[in-house]
Structures are given as C-alpha cells and as structure tokens.
Amino acid sequence: TRTKCGSADVNGQYEIKLDRLPPATEIQYLARVGETSTASLTFRTMPDRPVPMKFAMFADAHNVEENLRKMSDIALAENVDFAIGVGDLAGEGLPEEYDITFKGWQDLGSRVNIWAVPGNHDEKNIQGYFDAFAMPHGNATEPGYEEGWWSRRVGNVWLGGGWIRDFYLSMPDSDWGQVGWFRQQFQTEEFKTAKWKLFFIHQPAYAVQWGSECNFDGEDCLKVAMVPMLREAGIQASFHGHMH
C-alpha cells in the first residue's frame, strides 16, 4: 500500500505523479480530499514490451458531457489501452468547461491514460488548457507552455502530439521550435525502434468539402511544414479533429 500526497493548484485541481509501478498490471487505488473519497478504482499500467493494443480517439467534444459519456462507454466496452483527445475539448477554454469534460470522461479517465492536443477552441484560453491537463513535456524553451507538444513511447508504438502554432512559421527542415523538437525525437531509439509511429494534431492538412461554402481544403501550413516532415520520418498515420 502506497500513499501519495499533493496540494491543489489555483484551480483546485490535483496532479499526482506515481512512479515505479509494475508494467501491464492492474492497480487498485482511491483518491481522497479531506473526508471526501472516491470508491475503490482500478487502472492498468502500460506494457513494457510489444503487445497488441487498442486506443480511442475523441475530437471536438466541446465539453458536451452526454457525448463524452457515450464515447467513454464505447471505449470501455472495446477495452482500449489508452485514449487521445484531438482538440476542441472545450468551447472557450474555461476551467469550468474542462471540469465538465473530465466529468464526462471520468469512467474512462479513471481506468486508462487520456492524452490530448489543443484545438482552436482550446486556444481561446490556452493557459486554461495547460492548467487542466497533465501531459508529457515537449516544449523546453517557453515556461508554462511545456505541454504544447509531446511524444510518448507505449509498448511498440510511438505517439506524437502536435499544436498548429509553430507550423504557421516553419518549414519541414526547421531546427527550432516544435518542428526542430520533433526532428530531434525522430533520431531517438524510442522512435527508431517503434513498430508503429502515430501523430496527432487538431487541424487537418487536407479536407474535402467542409465549411459553409465548402471552400476549406485543409491547413496550408501543415501541407508545407508538417506533411513532408512526417513523411520523411516514416510516420504511418496522422490523426485529426476540427471537421466535426
């Protein structure tokens, strides 16, 4: 039995880091604040070897609790190993909207890891997004923005989470910002030895017939900077939201 304590942040949220947990193991836990406690819950730790896995992907939920609960129920029924939220999880990026998002996700989020990338609606209050989520850190140059992009190796899968921001000003061979950081990750053993290499970002580089006048064909900056970078690195699939 282990106990880990932490203090609430300015939004009343708690972030607790657990280390040295055995891989691919069912962990029983509960969370308690004062006299208020959850029921006994369980989650599975990630595998440390190549095994078949399933994941769920959510997009453009806009903090609609009913829809999030439906998606969570489907993911749990499919026995997914982790989930990715591909942006626009809120409407205006307000703390109370993320409270609703997490309430809709609570059955799934208490069971498996849920990672996320910011969408254009989350960008309306990007600090609110960073305050709400506990993500791997990728941006090492801007304090407070460390969670803007990230990567994570899970079993035989490499996952990358991006943010459109730097792509507006980048080329595929840029050595600064997000593009430079991902190019560094592509040289690591974690990336090179992964069987599957997947990338997640909110906006699509290509789209067909979307918008009131059907004139949106994707984000030009991603066509220029992201797609060549991912192709050169050998990314097998890129996943997006934004299109509803």
Side-chain angles (χ1 to χ4, degrees), residues 25-190:
T25 301
E26 199 85 4
I27 304 293
Q28 189 173 23
Y29 75 102
L30 60 83
R32 183 177 64 248
V33 178
E35 298 300 317
T36 303
S37 174
T38 66
S40 181
L41 302 168
T42 62
F43 68 88
R44 272 194 325 275
T45 54
M46 290 286 126
D48 61 349
R49 58 187 178 86
V51 294
M53 290 189 294
K54 291 182 179 180
F55 70 91
M57 192 184 78
F58 305 99
D60 303 282
H62 295 291
N63 59 274
V64 178
E65 183 179 345
E66 180 183 1
N67 291 343
L68 286 159
R69 287 190 181 278
K70 289 179 181 177
M71 291 187 283
S72 295
D73 289 344
I74 293 170
L76 286 168
E78 291 289 335
N79 199 30
V80 301
D81 296 280
F82 61 90
I84 308 283
V86 194
D88 280 4
L89 305 172
E92 303 295 324
L94 302 175
E96 55 267 31
E97 293 178 331
Y98 291 115
D99 289 343
I100 296 171
T101 296
F102 291 131
K103 187 176 181 181
W105 263 346
Q106 66 182 5
D107 289 343
L108 181 65
S110 65
R111 177 73 178 156
V112 302
N113 284 333
I114 300 178
W115 289 300
V117 297
N120 54 293
H121 280 264
D122 305 308
E123 287 180 308
K124 293 181 179 181
N125 177 20
I126 193 63
Q127 193 59 54
Y129 168 85
F130 291 140
D131 289 343
F133 284 92
M135 302 298 304
H137 286 191
N139 182 3
T141 61
E142 298 173 79
Y145 282 59
E146 295 90 348
E147 298 165 300
W149 49 85
W150 51 268
S151 71
R152 177 59 58 93
R153 174 72 180 263
V154 180
N156 63 350
V157 182
W158 180 92
L159 307 172
W163 180 15
I164 195 172
R165 189 190 71 159
D166 283 12
F167 286 108
Y168 286 120
L169 302 173
S170 299
M171 296 301 289
D173 59 351
S174 294
D175 59 2
W176 56 272
Q178 182 175 179
V179 173
W181 186 84
F182 274 118
R183 290 176 63 229
Q184 290 177 2
Q185 305 313 301
F186 298 155
Q187 302 305 312
T188 63
E189 286 302 305
E190 280 194 340

Side-chain angles (χ1 to χ4, degrees), residues 208-217:
V208 178
Q209 295 183 344
W210 185 71
S212 59
E213 299 177 0
C214 296
N215 59 358
F216 176 73
D217 67 349

